[in-house]
């Protein structure tokens, strides 16, 4: 919500004249900085062109087309099933509960000897639901027993927006089972979505394979400098956390007051449904779009009656709530 970190912007400007050079292979400075940030061996850190690249590589490296399968929830982050299908791998999906919580026991039932990856997003996309850390730990243990060759990928793209990160994240708590990989990104808290920098913290042997398979210069030299600077910009990072947590409460209260059904979220967005008698989700999206306010319709998640709004700065949040009030009021007047 606060744009690009000032230190990252300065770093890009300062290093722009060096953009004719290739970055150092393996991005060792960034891997080392991330290892220090998370208290892990830097050789377990793999940096990618967004965490999407690492997710794609894990599927390509671990799963044999026509032989293996991947397990995830439905709905979930679309990259998991899409890239799995592109790679010719069977996708097995467990529907979310009615309240969008996770049924890990049912998910585990889909796992067999041919399952190579289980994906879990904490907090989840698009609902913002975050399972208790202990439940994810138990899933890792159960998977190790049932499918020793299976990797649990815990996608923590949004986890630092949780009210209590350590209570939500195994990684933040220093709990790293041998069968578990963690995905993180610079696109959210660090304000570098357009720079395309993400990373995974993987088991030792797997990190080595991913580095060998990854294209050599997928993280460009300016993106690396921006990421290094963003890691050092604590003022921006803390301000972003404050803005999201405060804005999330304000938008939740504002949408609820307008009669919307709003789901609790630990991420930097809220999922909501329109009040009875109000415009449809599609109509609301189009009306907001015409006013220059872009939110996310969830038809692509097979949730055509729901919408997702990212937390903005205070001015953006107020503009959104004002527009929503106008849309809902006008429908009431028409009725």
């Amino acid at each position: 919500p606060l744009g690009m970190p000032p230190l990252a912007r300065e770093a890009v400007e300062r290093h722009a004249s060096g953009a004719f050079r290739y970055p150092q292979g393996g991005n060792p400075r960034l891997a080392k900085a991330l290892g220090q940030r998370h208290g892990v061996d830097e050789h377990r850190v793999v940096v990618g062109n967004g965490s999407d690249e690492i997710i794609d590589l894990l599927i390509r490296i671990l799963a044999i087309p026509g032989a293996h399968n991947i397990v995830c929830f439905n709905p979930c982050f679309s990259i998991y099933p899409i890239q799995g299908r592109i790679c010719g791998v069977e996708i097995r999906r467990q529907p979310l509960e009615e309240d969008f919580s996770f049924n890990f026991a049912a998910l585990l039932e889909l796992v067999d000897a041919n399952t190579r990856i289980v994906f879990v997003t904490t907090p989840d996309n698009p609902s913002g639901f975050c399972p208790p850390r202990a439940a994810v730990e138990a899933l890792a243990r159960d998977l190790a027993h049932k499918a020793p060759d299976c990797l649990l990928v815990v996608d923590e793209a949004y986890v630092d927006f949780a009210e209590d990160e350590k209570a939500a994240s195994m990684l933040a708590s220093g709990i790293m089972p041998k069968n578990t990989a963690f995905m993180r990104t610079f696109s959210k808290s660090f304000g570098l979505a357009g720079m395309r920098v993400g990373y995974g913290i993987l088991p030792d042997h797997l990190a080595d394979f991913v580095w060998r398979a990854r294209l050599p210069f997928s993280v460009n030299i300016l993106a690396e400098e921006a990421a290094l600077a963003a890691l050092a910009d604590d003022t921006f990072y803390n301000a972003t956390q404050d803005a999201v947590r405060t804005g999330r409460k304000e938008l939740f209260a504002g949408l609820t007051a307008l009669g919307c059904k709003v789901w609790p979220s630990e991420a930097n967005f809220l999922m909501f449904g329109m009040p009875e008698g109000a415009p449809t989700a599609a109509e609301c999206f189009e009306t907001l779009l015409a006013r220059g306010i872009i939110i996310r319709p969830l038809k692509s998640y097979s949730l055509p009656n729901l919408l997702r709004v990212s937390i903005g700065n205070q001015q953006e949040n107020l503009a959104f709530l004002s527009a929503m009030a106008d849309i809902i009021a006008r429908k009431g007047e028409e009725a």
Side-chain angles (χ1 to χ4, degrees):
L2 304 184
M4 186 174 181
L7 293 186
R9 186 169 59 249
E10 292 170 7
V12 171
E13 292 170 353
R14 189 167 63 253
H15 292 278
S17 62
F20 70 98
R21 296 190 183 278
Y22 289 101
Q24 188 174 357
N27 306 101
R29 291 185 300 139
L30 185 53
K32 182 177 181 179
L34 289 167
Q36 291 173 344
R37 183 179 184 86
H38 293 289
V40 301
D41 187 327
E42 63 194 80
H43 295 101
R44 295 185 62 177
V45 180
V46 176
V47 183
N49 188 252
S51 55
D52 293 356
E53 180 186 26
I54 302 167
I55 290 167
D56 177 57
L57 284 171
L58 288 173
I59 295 171
R60 294 176 187 273
I61 290 168
L62 294 174
I64 297 174
H68 294 146
N69 65 74
I70 290 168
V71 172
C72 57
F73 284 109
N74 185 23
C76 67
F77 182 38
S78 59
I79 287 292
Y80 313 147
I82 288 173
Q83 294 308 114
R85 292 189 186 102
I86 288 172
C87 293
V89 178
E90 179 191 358
I91 308 298
R92 299 179 178 180
R93 308 187 70 177
Q94 171 60 35
L96 296 176
E97 300 293 275
E98 286 189 12
D99 63 355
F100 291 90
S101 62
F102 296 167
N103 186 336
F104 282 139
L107 187 76
L108 196 63
E109 287 295 314
L110 299 179
V111 174
D112 61 21
N114 293 320
T115 305
R116 286 299 176 265
I117 302 175
V118 171
F119 284 106
V120 174
T121 312
T122 61
D124 198 24
N125 179 9
S127 73
F129 168 77
C130 192
R133 187 191 69 205
V136 186
E137 290 180 54
L139 176 63
R141 290 194 298 270
D142 291 342
L143 274 174
H145 175 73
K146 183 174 184 179
D149 295 328
C150 178
L151 178 72
L152 173 62
V153 176
V154 182
D155 193 338
E156 296 189 341
Y158 306 99
V159 80
D160 50 354
F161 294 116
E163 290 294 335
D164 185 345
E165 184 180 351
K166 286 190 175 181
S169 166
M170 285 198 289
L171 177 60
S173 303
I175 302 167
M176 287 171 279
K178 293 181 179 179
N179 66 336
T180 304
F182 299 91
M183 298 294 112
R184 291 274 182 130
T185 180
F186 282 86
S187 295
K188 317 301 180 188
S189 292
F190 294 105
L192 297 178
M195 284 289 181
R196 308 308 304 133
V197 189
Y199 59 99
I201 296 177
L202 316 179
D204 291 333
H205 69 285
L206 186 55
D208 181 53
F209 280 119
V210 174
W211 273 122
R212 288 193 239 171
R214 199 202 77 163
L215 292 172
F217 304 119
S218 66
V219 177
N220 71 73
I221 195 167
L222 296 183
E224 181 177 32
E225 294 295 349
L228 285 165
L231 288 173
D233 201 337
D234 291 336
T235 299
F236 176 88
Y237 182 85
N238 293 334
T240 298
Q241 298 303 313
D242 290 342
V244 168
R245 292 190 177 109
T246 300
R248 186 167 61 199
K249 292 175 183 177
E250 292 174 347
L251 285 186
F252 188 97
L255 286 169
T256 301
L258 290 172
C260 297
K261 164 67 175 176
V262 191
W263 278 261
S265 173
E266 294 285 306
N268 65 333
F269 51 76
L270 290 172
M271 184 176 73
F272 68 97
M274 298 295 287
E276 186 176 349
T280 65
E283 290 169 341
C284 178
F285 167 75
E286 292 294 344
T287 304
L288 289 172
L289 185 64
R291 299 186 182 198
I293 299 173
I294 306 174
I295 64 172
R296 180 71 181 267
L298 297 180
K299 184 179 179 180
S300 62
Y301 287 84
S302 299
L303 300 170
N305 297 321
L306 299 180
L307 298 157
R308 192 190 75 187
V309 58
S310 294
I311 312 303
N313 60 37
Q314 188 175 36
Q315 180 181 358
E316 291 168 337
N317 294 339
L318 290 173
F320 165 71
L321 287 175
S322 176
M324 286 295 298
D326 188 39
I327 291 169
I328 292 170
R330 287 190 179 184
K331 187 69 174 184
E333 291 170 3
E334 291 173 7

